[in-house]
Amino acid sequence: MTEVVEQHPFAKYLREAMMPHIWCTGCGNGIILNAFVHALDELQIDLDKLVVVSGIGCIGRTAGYTNVDSFHTTHGRPIAFATGVKLANPELEVVVISGDGDLFAIGGNHFIHAARRNIGIKVICANNFNYGMTGGQFGPTTPLKASTPTTPYGNIEHPFNLVHLAAASGATYVARWTTLHVRMLTASIKKLLQRKGFSFIEVVSQCPEIFGRRNKMRTALEMMEWFKKAAVIANFSDPAKAEITPEKIVVGEFLDLEKPTFEELLREKMNEISKENGE
Amino acid sequence: MVKEKAVLTGMHFMSGDIACAEGAIAAGCRFFAGYPITPATEIAEHIASRMPKIGGVYIQMEDEIASIAAVIGASYAGLKAMTATSGPGFSLMQENIGLAAMTEAPCVIVDVMRGGPSTGQPTLPGQQDVMQAKWGSHGDYEIIALSPCSVQEMFDLTIEAFNLSETYRVPAFVMADEVVAHMWEKLVIPPAEEIKIVNRKRANMPPEKYLPFMPDDDLVPPMACFGEGYRFHATGLTHNEYGYPRTQSSEVQTKLVQRLCEKIRKNADKIVRAEENMLEDAEVVVVAYGIVARAALSAVKKAREKGIKAGLLRPITLWPFPEKTLAKAAENAETIIVPEMNCGQLVREVERITKSSRVFHLAKLGEEPHSPMEIFDFIRRKHK
Ligand SMILES: Cc1ncc(C[n+]2csc(CCOP(=O)(O)OP(=O)(O)O)c2C)c(N)n1
Ligand SMILES: [Mg+2]
């Protein structure tokens, strides 16, 4: 006998009242949210102890869509906000889901310092190579030569290699996937949620409506065909060499190590000090 | 864990900055995020040494933008949280002060004012940020700002700032200045049980009944914190009572923004504090705040000795401004004198309220605050 379910089994993870979402047809953000929700479900994460924080941007709406404690900060500040949350209550699982512009242009300083301190927050970046929300202007991950409304003659800025930046800044778990690698991405998000230190996943994501159509990839399919053709899985290869070019997108897990977190060191220090006080 | 006492009851000899840090701790602050800057650095240094002993968090962030963002995060996670800075850092914080106002995050921001604009005069006092405290972030909102004039008030008003911020879910400022912050004076810390502590109104309804931005009659919504099972959303976007964005609705925008203003404006009588000295029969009313008020009081006393009926009004809350007290004092006054360590800021408020054409501003920039003699001479010159 088949069971009739009234509700999608994952409905509990989403705020129905926030639907419909704002994302364009073919946008990769839904795939990322889907992978995130699958990871939560597979791990049976305690939703009362999960906080999702986003900045401003298309992907920044994710915080509002997840049915947990969530906060939509000012542009660029989700990591700094999340740092306060995590240190105030280390029991909470604090996940930042935000964009390439939010996390690496206006918020770049917060990213490198949170990674350096090894604050136990988890960061997922939807890298769609542009500022989707404001109409597709170039950003810190836009490839050289790409056309955007503010690089009408082609981008002359070199993009960041986000996984290299994360690794060099001190992140303890670093991975990159594309929206095509849904299973790997979900497995990776599960790991991210299980690690205790600063963890980072870059998700290379299609933005056909705003980025793609100015760059000869008019549809989601065309963008994902690029991912399919160019992606090379190179687990634990040197993140410095993990390029993203028209020919090659290096994906995989680059780093997975243990290092004391800020919260642990702070707790240790407190215990040390109060022992001295007690003697 | 053996903990040090949070409230250091007793008589002390302390600097204003250290007293401010102790006031915060006594108020229940257990989270401080900051970035060093003269003349507020000693607040951070003292907190850094005290917090680990009482189970609180000190974190030095990468800048002041991050500091205030972390403070808002900690507040939403349930702690009383604070940051301390001076002009350049205060400017950097403005963006997220707006976020704190919009998301109604209780938090305290100390601005130890030095000479500006820009990097200005790091080691000299100023009162050049008092309008920035009121209007610094974009959009319409209200805040609360207190002005301490002594080391004792650095302690007392920091506690008051926490209490007000928790009561009204609003950013509260302690607008100190370099002199008040760096001078050493007697400080009396009362027994813990004698210190009035206010904690935010908590959500106590079942989660399915909780609307995070639905106010009570006092216009303040009860607050749930992260991790308590309420699973609510907050955003800097214009939002309805559910916390959901409604960026196209004039109705939601009007209701929200008016409430953010009115929860302070309509409660102003409960918030406002001012010290009145010899105002009953005053023909000359001096309006002065912070360290300048102390010189002004001496000047007023001297004027009285010389037969001039002078009085002092010292706003303790700069925002909301003690409008009624001033209006009453100004009724029979012939001359109003406003000495400030700026080119004329709070004087505009005095002019607005008194509508008097005999309001005179005495600016002092780039050195020590006004001396009593300077203010006295000014009174004599202007009051003929
Ligand atoms: C301080 C500030 N500057 C600029 C903006 C305008 N703005 C909104 S979203 C955005 C860029 C978002 O890009 P990204 O983080 O990559 O997210 P996406 O929209 O691509 O998902 C900008 C510049 C803003 N909201 N705040
Ligand atoms: Mg983007």
Side-chain angles (χ1 to χ4, degrees):
Chain A
M1 222 177 85
T2 44
E3 196 193 347
V4 181
V5 283
E6 296 290 332
Q7 229 190 7
H8 192 282
F10 284 2
K12 67 171 180 184
Y13 294 103
L14 301 176
R15 284 197 176 100
E16 232 180 292
M18 289 285 232
M19 299 298 141
H21 59 70
I22 64 158
W23 298 327
C24 305
T25 311
C27 171
N29 287 342
I31 299 176
I32 299 170
L33 178 56
N34 189 37
F36 179 61
V37 162
H38 268 86
L40 295 180
D41 195 67
E42 285 172 30
L43 290 175
Q44 286 298 301
I45 295 283
D46 181 355
L47 297 182
D48 284 346
K49 299 291 168 198
L50 175 66
V51 181
V52 175
V53 183
S54 298
I56 302 295
C58 299
I59 184 70
R61 292 304 184 98
T62 305
Y65 297 158
T66 48
N67 191 19
V68 297
D69 284 329
S70 57
F71 200 100
H72 186 214
T73 68
T74 42
H75 189 28
R77 318 301 169 206
I79 288 180
F81 177 91
T83 297
V85 175
K86 184 68 185 174
L87 298 187
N89 185 355
E91 313 279 278
L92 298 175
E93 178 72 77
V94 185
V95 182
V96 172
I97 303 180
S98 216
D100 47 280
D102 187 81
L103 295 171
F104 294 99
I106 190 165
N109 203 27
H110 310 310
F111 180 90
I112 58 174
H113 287 281
R116 174 180 63 78
R117 296 183 187 110
N118 200 22
I119 306 277
I121 58 175
K122 318 298 167 65
V123 180
I124 299 172
C125 172
N127 178 8
N128 60 2
F129 307 111
N130 76 102
Y131 294 164
M133 180 64 112
T134 45
Q137 302 78 13
F138 79 101
T141 61
T142 307
L144 264 173
K145 298 185 184 154
S147 167
T148 75
T150 46
T151 53
Y153 311 109
N155 184 24
I156 54 169
E157 291 191 16
H158 301 277
F160 268 143
N161 171 347
L162 300 183
V163 290
H164 183 35
L165 180 68
S169 304
T172 53
Y173 178 80
V174 178
R176 174 194 288 151
W177 301 102
T178 77
T179 43
L180 193 74
H181 300 84
V182 182
R183 282 173 204 287
M184 280 91 144
L185 173 61
T186 307
S188 202
I189 296 175
K190 282 168 69 179
K191 283 196 190 173
L192 170 111
L193 292 169
Q194 289 169 305
R195 299 297 176 264
K196 61 186 173 65
F198 185 93
S199 305
F200 174 65
I201 301 174
E202 171 188 1
V203 191
V204 172
S205 178
Q206 76 275 19
C207 175
E209 287 295 331
I210 297 179
F211 181 79
R213 69 200 180 101
R214 291 185 73 110
N215 291 281
K216 302 197 174 77
M217 293 175 282
R218 288 196 147 267
T219 64
L221 211 58
E222 281 171 88
M223 285 208 77
M224 291 181 90
E225 256 157 22
W226 168 37
F227 301 164
K228 188 174 171 198
K229 185 183 80 210
V232 181
I233 300 178
N235 284 318
F236 300 102
S237 63
D238 181 357
K241 302 206 177 93
E243 63 191 84
I244 300 180
T245 60
E247 295 75 37
K248 196 170 170 191
I249 301 175
V250 181
V251 297
E253 292 179 296
F254 298 95
L255 215 61
D256 190 359
L257 45 90
E258 282 230 1
K259 190 164 77 173
T261 65
F262 182 99
E263 310 86 90
E264 285 172 339
L265 292 173
L266 182 66
R267 185 58 46 192
E268 234 171 68
K269 197 53 84 185
M270 282 181 186
N271 289 337
E272 228 173 77
I273 293 165
S274 50
K275 236 182 250 138
E276 279 166 26
N277 271 7
E279 276 159 13
Chain B
M1 206 153 84
V2 188
K3 283 188 185 170
E4 194 175 83
K5 271 201 194 148
V7 180
L8 302 181
T9 303
M11 186 120 75
H12 302 268
F13 185 61
M14 246 184 216
S15 79
D17 272 343
I18 298 177
C20 169
E22 286 300 335
I25 291 167
C29 173
R30 291 297 176 272
F31 185 92
F32 182 101
Y35 188 83
I37 185 165
T38 306
T41 312
E42 292 89 340
I43 301 174
E45 289 178 353
H46 191 71
I47 293 252
S49 86
R50 284 274 276 140
M51 278 301 191
K53 296 180 181 170
I54 56 166
V57 177
Y58 168 83
I59 183 166
Q60 193 162 298
M61 298 299 286
E62 51 276 12
D63 57 31
E64 289 85 350
I65 301 173
S67 302
I68 179 73
V71 160
I72 299 169
S75 178
Y76 260 84
L79 293 190
K80 288 187 184 175
M82 170 171 109
T83 184
T85 189
S86 186
F90 198 47
S91 290
L92 285 182
M93 287 181 189
Q94 293 305 326
E95 173 201 44
N96 281 325
I97 286 169
L99 179 67
M102 188 62 147
T103 58
E104 304 179 69
C107 58
V108 170
I109 299 128
V110 181
D111 177 13
V112 183
M113 292 181 282
R114 60 193 217 181
S118 191
T119 316
Q121 297 179 301
T123 61
L124 288 174
Q127 294 179 318
Q128 294 175 302
D129 308 349
V130 294
M131 281 294 173
Q132 188 182 18
K134 176 79 174 74
W135 304 107
S137 201
H138 56 280
D140 284 312
Y141 60 97
E142 290 279 345
I143 50 81
I144 294 171
L146 304 167
S147 167
C149 76
S150 63
V151 169
Q152 184 68 48
E153 276 197 347
M154 284 293 270
F155 180 86
D156 296 340
L157 294 187
T158 302
I159 297 176
E160 176 105 358
F162 271 99
N163 288 348
L164 290 167
S165 144
E166 293 279 320
T167 304
Y168 297 104
R169 289 189 62 178
V170 74
F173 303 105
V174 178
M175 300 301 290
D177 64 72
E178 184 274 337
V179 173
V180 163
H182 279 163
M183 72 185 177
W184 288 67
E185 286 184 322
K186 187 176 95 170
L187 169 70
V188 180
I189 301 184
E193 59 281 6
E194 284 172 27
I195 298 175
K196 183 185 156 208
I197 301 294
V198 180
N199 296 315
R200 64 190 70 165
K201 216 169 30 176
R202 302 302 292 261
N204 55 9
M205 57 293 275
E208 61 279 8
K209 291 253 163 68
Y210 180 58
L211 301 187
F213 296 95
M214 176 65 88
D216 291 338
D217 289 342
D218 61 357
L219 302 179
V220 183
M223 188 166 178
C225 293
F226 293 158
E228 294 177 342
Y230 284 93
R231 296 206 217 159
F232 66 97
H233 182 59
T235 173
L237 289 172
T238 291
H239 48 270
N240 62 13
E241 286 82 3
Y242 292 83
Y244 299 160
R246 289 292 179 268
T247 56
Q248 300 296 315
S249 164
S250 75
E251 191 194 319
V252 174
Q253 166 78 350
T254 306
K255 205 165 151 193
L256 173 65
V257 177
Q258 281 184 345
R259 181 175 64 75
L260 293 181
C261 294
E262 283 177 359
K263 71 176 175 179
I264 301 304
R265 290 178 189 170
K266 291 206 164 148
N267 288 306
D269 285 345
K270 285 185 234 156
I271 302 168
V272 161
R273 279 182 57 190
E275 185 187 302
E276 295 166 71
N277 276 294
M278 297 169 269
L279 288 175
E280 302 75 32
D281 61 341
E283 291 166 5
V284 181
V285 171
V286 180
V287 182
Y289 55 97
I291 191 66
V292 178
R294 290 171 66 161
L297 182 60
S298 302
V300 161
K301 284 180 182 160
K302 182 146 181 73
R304 287 267 168 184
E305 277 167 26
K306 302 281 175 199
I308 305 172
K309 287 185 182 165
L312 171 70
L313 170 64
R314 177 170 78 91
I316 296 173
T317 50
L318 300 180
W319 308 114
F321 191 83
E323 303 199 8
K324 289 182 187 163
T325 322
L326 174 62
K328 193 167 131 261
E331 254 170 35
N332 301 314
E334 288 161 26
T335 309
I336 299 168
I337 304 275
V338 187
E340 290 184 276
M341 287 189 283
N342 58 43
C343 293
Q345 295 201 9
L346 223 59
V347 67
R348 291 165 160 263
E349 200 64 4
V350 175
E351 285 165 345
R352 186 180 71 79
I353 293 157
T354 63
K355 299 186 177 64
S356 161
S357 58
R358 295 199 41 81
V359 176
F360 300 99
H361 186 256
L362 178 60
K364 186 88 193 242
L365 293 169
E367 47 175 326
E368 293 302 300
H370 311 67
S371 70
M373 226 28 219
E374 281 172 303
I375 299 173
F376 170 70
D377 284 343
F378 194 68
I379 292 173
R380 220 170 26 184
R381 264 192 291 134
K382 294 297 174 192
H383 187 65
K384 300 225 176 77

CSV table of all heavy atoms in Angstrom, one decimal, chain B residues 186-210:
chain,number,residue,atom,x,y,z
B,186,LYS,N,37.3,59.3,43.1
B,186,LYS,CA,36.7,58.3,44.0
B,186,LYS,C,35.5,57.7,43.3
B,186,LYS,O,34.7,58.4,42.6
B,186,LYS,CB,36.2,59.0,45.2
B,186,LYS,CG,35.7,58.1,46.3
B,186,LYS,CD,35.3,58.8,47.6
B,186,LYS,CE,33.9,59.1,47.6
B,186,LYS,NZ,33.4,59.6,48.9
B,187,LEU,N,35.3,56.4,43.5
B,187,LEU,CA,34.2,55.7,43.0
B,187,LEU,C,33.6,54.8,44.1
B,187,LEU,O,34.4,54.0,44.7
B,187,LEU,CB,34.6,54.8,41.8
B,187,LEU,CG,33.5,53.8,41.3
B,187,LEU,CD1,32.3,54.5,40.7
B,187,LEU,CD2,34.1,52.8,40.3
B,188,VAL,N,32.4,54.9,44.3
B,188,VAL,CA,31.7,54.0,45.3
B,188,VAL,C,30.9,53.0,44.5
B,188,VAL,O,30.0,53.3,43.8
B,188,VAL,CB,30.9,54.8,46.3
B,188,VAL,CG1,30.2,53.8,47.3
B,188,VAL,CG2,31.7,55.8,47.0
B,189,ILE,N,31.2,51.7,44.7
B,189,ILE,CA,30.4,50.6,44.1
B,189,ILE,C,29.6,50.0,45.2
B,189,ILE,O,30.1,49.5,46.2
B,189,ILE,CB,31.3,49.6,43.5
B,189,ILE,CG1,32.2,50.2,42.4
B,189,ILE,CG2,30.4,48.4,42.9
B,189,ILE,CD1,33.0,49.2,41.6
B,190,PRO,N,28.2,50.2,45.1
B,190,PRO,CA,27.3,49.7,46.1
B,190,PRO,C,27.3,48.1,46.2
B,190,PRO,O,27.8,47.5,45.2
B,190,PRO,CB,26.0,50.2,45.7
B,190,PRO,CG,26.1,50.9,44.5
B,190,PRO,CD,27.5,50.8,44.0
B,191,PRO,N,26.8,47.6,47.2
B,191,PRO,CA,26.6,46.1,47.2
B,191,PRO,C,25.7,45.7,46.1
B,191,PRO,O,24.8,46.4,45.7
B,191,PRO,CB,25.8,45.9,48.6
B,191,PRO,CG,26.0,47.1,49.4
B,191,PRO,CD,26.3,48.2,48.4
B,192,ALA,N,26.0,44.5,45.5
B,192,ALA,CA,25.4,44.0,44.3
B,192,ALA,C,23.8,44.1,44.4
B,192,ALA,O,23.2,44.5,43.5
B,192,ALA,CB,25.8,42.6,44.0
B,193,GLU,N,23.3,43.7,45.6
B,193,GLU,CA,21.9,43.7,45.7
B,193,GLU,C,21.2,45.1,45.7
B,193,GLU,O,20.0,45.2,45.5
B,193,GLU,CB,21.4,42.9,46.9
B,193,GLU,CG,21.9,43.3,48.3
B,193,GLU,CD,23.4,42.9,48.6
B,193,GLU,OE1,24.1,42.4,47.7
B,193,GLU,OE2,23.8,43.2,49.7
B,194,GLU,N,22.0,46.1,45.9
B,194,GLU,CA,21.5,47.5,45.9
B,194,GLU,C,21.5,48.1,44.5
B,194,GLU,O,21.1,49.2,44.2
B,194,GLU,CB,22.2,48.4,46.8
B,194,GLU,CG,21.8,48.1,48.3
B,194,GLU,CD,22.7,48.8,49.3
B,194,GLU,OE1,23.3,49.9,48.9
B,194,GLU,OE2,22.8,48.3,50.4
B,195,ILE,N,22.2,47.4,43.5
B,195,ILE,CA,22.3,47.9,42.2
B,195,ILE,C,21.0,47.5,41.4
B,195,ILE,O,20.8,46.3,41.3
B,195,ILE,CB,23.6,47.5,41.5
B,195,ILE,CG1,24.8,48.0,42.2
B,195,ILE,CG2,23.6,48.0,40.0
B,195,ILE,CD1,26.1,47.5,41.7
B,196,LYS,N,20.3,48.4,40.8
B,196,LYS,CA,19.1,48.1,40.0
B,196,LYS,C,19.5,47.5,38.7
B,196,LYS,O,20.2,48.2,37.9
B,196,LYS,CB,18.3,49.3,39.9
B,196,LYS,CG,17.0,49.0,39.2
B,196,LYS,CD,16.2,50.3,38.9
B,196,LYS,CE,15.2,50.1,37.7
B,196,LYS,NZ,15.0,51.4,37.0
B,197,ILE,N,19.1,46.3,38.4
B,197,ILE,CA,19.5,45.7,37.1
B,197,ILE,C,18.2,45.3,36.4
B,197,ILE,O,17.3,44.7,37.0
B,197,ILE,CB,20.2,44.4,37.4
B,197,ILE,CG1,21.5,44.6,38.1
B,197,ILE,CG2,20.5,43.6,36.1
B,197,ILE,CD1,22.6,45.4,37.4
B,198,VAL,N,18.1,45.7,35.2
B,198,VAL,CA,16.9,45.4,34.4
B,198,VAL,C,17.3,44.4,33.3
B,198,VAL,O,18.3,44.6,32.6
B,198,VAL,CB,16.3,46.7,33.7
B,198,VAL,CG1,15.1,46.3,32.9
B,198,VAL,CG2,16.0,47.7,34.8
B,199,ASN,N,16.5,43.4,33.1
B,199,ASN,CA,16.8,42.4,32.0
B,199,ASN,C,15.6,42.5,31.0
B,199,ASN,O,14.5,42.8,31.4
B,199,ASN,CB,16.9,41.0,32.6
B,199,ASN,CG,18.1,40.8,33.5
B,199,ASN,OD1,19.2,41.3,33.2
B,199,ASN,ND2,17.8,40.2,34.6
B,200,ARG,N,16.0,42.2,29.8
B,200,ARG,CA,15.0,42.3,28.7
B,200,ARG,C,13.8,41.4,29.0
B,200,ARG,O,13.9,40.4,29.7
B,200,ARG,CB,15.6,41.9,27.4
B,200,ARG,CG,16.1,40.5,27.3
B,200,ARG,CD,16.9,40.2,26.1
B,200,ARG,NE,18.2,40.8,26.1
B,200,ARG,CZ,19.2,40.5,25.3
B,200,ARG,NH1,19.1,39.5,24.4
B,200,ARG,NH2,20.4,41.1,25.4
B,201,LYS,N,12.6,41.9,28.5
B,201,LYS,CA,11.4,41.2,28.6
B,201,LYS,C,11.5,39.9,27.7
B,201,LYS,O,11.8,40.0,26.5
B,201,LYS,CB,10.3,42.1,28.0
B,201,LYS,CG,9.0,42.0,28.6
B,201,LYS,CD,8.1,43.2,28.2
B,201,LYS,CE,8.3,43.7,26.8
B,201,LYS,NZ,7.3,44.7,26.4
B,202,ARG,N,11.4,38.7,28.3
B,202,ARG,CA,11.6,37.5,27.5
B,202,ARG,C,10.3,37.0,27.0
B,202,ARG,O,9.2,37.2,27.5
B,202,ARG,CB,12.2,36.4,28.4
B,202,ARG,CG,13.6,36.8,29.0
B,202,ARG,CD,14.6,37.2,28.0
B,202,ARG,NE,15.0,36.1,27.2
B,202,ARG,CZ,16.1,35.4,27.4
B,202,ARG,NH1,16.9,35.7,28.4
B,202,ARG,NH2,16.4,34.4,26.7
B,203,ALA,N,10.4,36.3,25.8
B,203,ALA,CA,9.3,35.6,25.3
B,203,ALA,C,8.9,34.5,26.2
B,203,ALA,O,9.8,33.7,26.6
B,203,ALA,CB,9.6,35.1,23.9
B,204,ASN,N,7.6,34.4,26.6
B,204,ASN,CA,7.3,33.2,27.5
B,204,ASN,C,6.1,32.5,27.0
B,204,ASN,O,5.6,31.6,27.7
B,204,ASN,CB,7.1,33.7,28.9
B,204,ASN,CG,6.0,34.8,29.0
B,204,ASN,OD1,5.3,35.1,28.0
B,204,ASN,ND2,5.8,35.5,30.1
B,205,MET,N,5.7,32.8,25.8
B,205,MET,CA,4.6,32.1,25.2
B,205,MET,C,5.1,30.9,24.4
B,205,MET,O,6.3,30.8,24.2
B,205,MET,CB,3.8,33.0,24.2
B,205,MET,CG,4.6,33.6,23.1
B,205,MET,SD,5.8,34.8,23.6
B,205,MET,CE,4.8,36.3,23.7
B,206,PRO,N,4.3,29.9,24.1
B,206,PRO,CA,4.8,28.8,23.3
B,206,PRO,C,5.2,29.3,21.9
B,206,PRO,O,4.7,30.2,21.4
B,206,PRO,CB,3.6,27.8,23.2
B,206,PRO,CG,2.4,28.6,23.6
B,206,PRO,CD,2.9,29.8,24.4
B,207,PRO,N,6.3,28.6,21.3
B,207,PRO,CA,6.8,29.1,20.1
B,207,PRO,C,5.8,29.3,19.0
B,207,PRO,O,5.9,30.3,18.3
B,207,PRO,CB,7.8,27.9,19.7
B,207,PRO,CG,8.2,27.3,20.9
B,207,PRO,CD,7.0,27.4,21.9
B,208,GLU,N,4.8,28.5,18.9
B,208,GLU,CA,3.8,28.7,17.8
B,208,GLU,C,3.0,30.0,18.0
B,208,GLU,O,2.4,30.5,17.1
B,208,GLU,CB,2.9,27.5,17.6
B,208,GLU,CG,2.0,27.1,18.7
B,208,GLU,CD,2.8,26.3,19.8
B,208,GLU,OE1,4.0,26.1,19.7
B,208,GLU,OE2,2.1,25.8,20.7
B,209,LYS,N,3.0,30.6,19.2
B,209,LYS,CA,2.3,31.8,19.5
B,209,LYS,C,3.2,33.0,19.4
B,209,LYS,O,2.7,34.2,19.5
B,209,LYS,CB,1.7,31.8,20.9
B,209,LYS,CG,0.6,30.8,21.0
B,209,LYS,CD,-0.8,31.5,21.1
B,209,LYS,CE,-2.0,30.5,20.9
B,209,LYS,NZ,-2.1,29.5,21.9
B,210,TYR,N,4.5,32.8,19.2
B,210,TYR,CA,5.4,33.9,19.3
B,210,TYR,C,5.6,34.7,18.0
B,210,TYR,O,5.9,34.1,16.9
B,210,TYR,CB,6.8,33.4,19.7
B,210,TYR,CG,7.9,34.5,19.8
B,210,TYR,CD1,7.7,35.5,20.7
B,210,TYR,CD2,9.1,34.4,19.1
B,210,TYR,CE1,8.7,36.5,20.8
B,210,TYR,CE2,10.0,35.3,19.3
B,210,TYR,CZ,9.8,36.4,20.1
B,210,TYR,OH,10.8,37.4,20.2
